[in-house]
Amino acid sequence: MAMLWKFMRVAKYSKTALSSKVKVRGIPTHSRHSSSKSVPSDFAASAPCSNTVELLGKSYPQDDYSNVTEKILSKVGKNLHNRKHHPLWLIKEQVKEHFYKHYLGRRGTPLFSVYDGLSPVVTVQQNFDSLLIPQNHASRRKEDNYYLNRDHMLRAHTSAHQWDLIHSGLDAFLAVGDVYRRDTIDNTHYPVFHQMEGVRLFSCHELFSSIKDGEGLQLFEQGHRTAHKQECHTMEAVRLVEFNLKQVLTKLMTHIFGDG
């Protein structure tokens, strides 16, 4: 289950639906998943030659899908959300402080880990396929995304990292980063912006432990899991996750803007 907010996306899943086999390549930011690191902007990108695009120290062959411009390439690697005292950094730190303080694990350590150094270059599989976005979906269009080639692109959302992070074994995390979409520049749109999203996975025990007679409740209705979908959640699971999500977002907004 997922709910999209302009400032933050919080998604809820069942732990039982996932395995822990995939290693994550990224730079996390809590003592439990230590510090962040930015890519120097002067190393981030060089002007593409006729056949390849050089970006973040890697070379990507161009093809009929390549449409990223030199102007956009010059923005990659600036990592404004990791520049100390930048407004984006200040907001990120406020959110981190709130989650570190109010959501603790069994040993009193922060439940949520933070990933703010993941590469903005992702595969099409990460950006779309891993999120079960259909092949013919409008969001995949070249007119809306920056493709390095048919297989690689600049992430259109931080959700491009969810599959990797979840399958690495994480069950609660915040992902922060710069994202890229081919928007026309106006008062409210720019082709480079930033997102921060949270993901929390619940086991059956975690979701129903505080409910009277909750031992008999289930996360899923009877059904069959396929490679493309989970079983349907029970109404009890849906309502409890919805309630939890609203509480999380309300507390976060109060922390940032105050009780008023």
Side-chain angles (χ1 to χ4, degrees):
M1 294 171 215
M3 184 172 291
L4 174 64
W5 296 70
K6 287 186 177 179
F7 172 64
M8 179 179 181
R9 181 184 293 121
V10 179
K12 314 279 182 162
Y13 298 89
S14 161
K15 282 183 181 177
T16 60
L18 302 160
S19 62
S20 307
K21 297 180 180 178
V22 179
K23 294 183 179 180
V24 180
R25 290 175 295 176
I27 304 162
T29 65
H30 183 259
S31 56
R32 165 170 88 132
H33 301 281
S34 59
S35 65
S36 64
K37 183 170 100 177
S38 298
V39 178
S41 58
D42 58 352
F43 176 72
S46 61
C49 66
S50 58
N51 298 319
T52 62
V53 176
E54 304 292 331
L55 185 60
L56 301 177
K58 294 184 179 180
S59 180
Y60 299 91
Q62 295 192 78
D63 56 27
D64 59 323
Y65 249 66
S66 304
N67 65 358
V68 64
T69 64
E70 291 187 36
K71 183 69 173 178
I72 295 300
L73 288 175
S74 70
K75 307 291 185 182
V76 179
K78 290 186 177 296
N79 295 318
L80 301 180
H81 59 289
N82 286 335
R83 291 191 180 183
K84 196 170 184 179
H85 304 308
H86 189 281
L88 291 171
W89 179 87
L90 292 172
I91 295 174
K92 181 190 73 173
E93 291 301 308
Q94 279 191 295
V95 176
K96 283 171 55 178
E97 176 191 8
H98 174 73
F99 275 85
Y100 284 172
K101 181 178 179 180
H102 294 283
Y103 300 94
L104 302 176
R106 295 177 182 177
R107 300 180 180 179
T109 56
L111 180 67
F112 286 80
S113 52
V114 178
Y115 290 81
D116 60 6
L118 298 167
S119 174
V121 179
V122 298
T123 64
V124 173
Q125 192 279 335
Q126 287 174 302
N127 200 80
F128 297 121
D129 299 332
S130 70
L131 300 171
L132 303 184
I133 297 174
Q135 289 288 337
N136 60 350
H137 197 275
S139 64
R140 292 177 178 256
R141 298 186 310 170
K142 289 174 62 176
E143 292 81 2
D144 296 329
N145 299 283
Y146 287 105
Y147 285 93
L148 300 176
N149 50 43
R150 282 185 171 271
D151 297 321
H152 295 86
M153 62 186 296
L154 298 179
R155 63 187 168 207
H157 43 216
T158 49
S159 298
H161 303 293
Q162 279 189 17
W163 194 95
D164 290 333
L165 292 170
I166 289 172
H167 283 75
S168 74
L170 296 177
D171 54 18
F173 58 86
L174 306 178
V176 195
D178 44 327
V179 297
Y180 302 80
R181 298 181 189 173
R182 295 187 68 185
D183 287 336
T184 301
I185 299 175
D186 58 27
N187 290 338
T188 58
H189 294 85
Y190 194 75
V192 185
F193 56 104
H194 292 74
Q195 286 185 342
M196 184 171 195
E197 67 179 80
V199 173
R200 172 76 190 277
L201 281 68
F202 291 95
S203 67
C204 194
H205 171 74
E206 288 171 328
L207 195 58
F208 299 127
S209 61
S210 61
I211 305 300
K212 184 179 179 180
D213 300 324
E215 296 84 2
L217 299 177
Q218 299 294 324
L219 289 172
F220 298 108
E221 297 173 341
Q222 290 184 351
H224 298 285
R225 185 185 308 274
T226 71
H228 304 288
K229 66 178 289 293
Q230 299 176 357
E231 300 94 324
C232 293
H233 291 85
T234 62
M235 186 55 67
E236 293 84 1
V238 171
R239 293 291 171 81
L240 285 171
V241 169
E242 178 185 359
F243 178 73
N244 183 278
L245 173 60
K246 288 180 178 179
Q247 278 193 318
V248 169
L249 292 174
T250 300
K251 290 178 181 178
L252 176 61
M253 292 301 101
T254 301
H255 171 73
I256 294 176
F257 298 109
D259 291 331

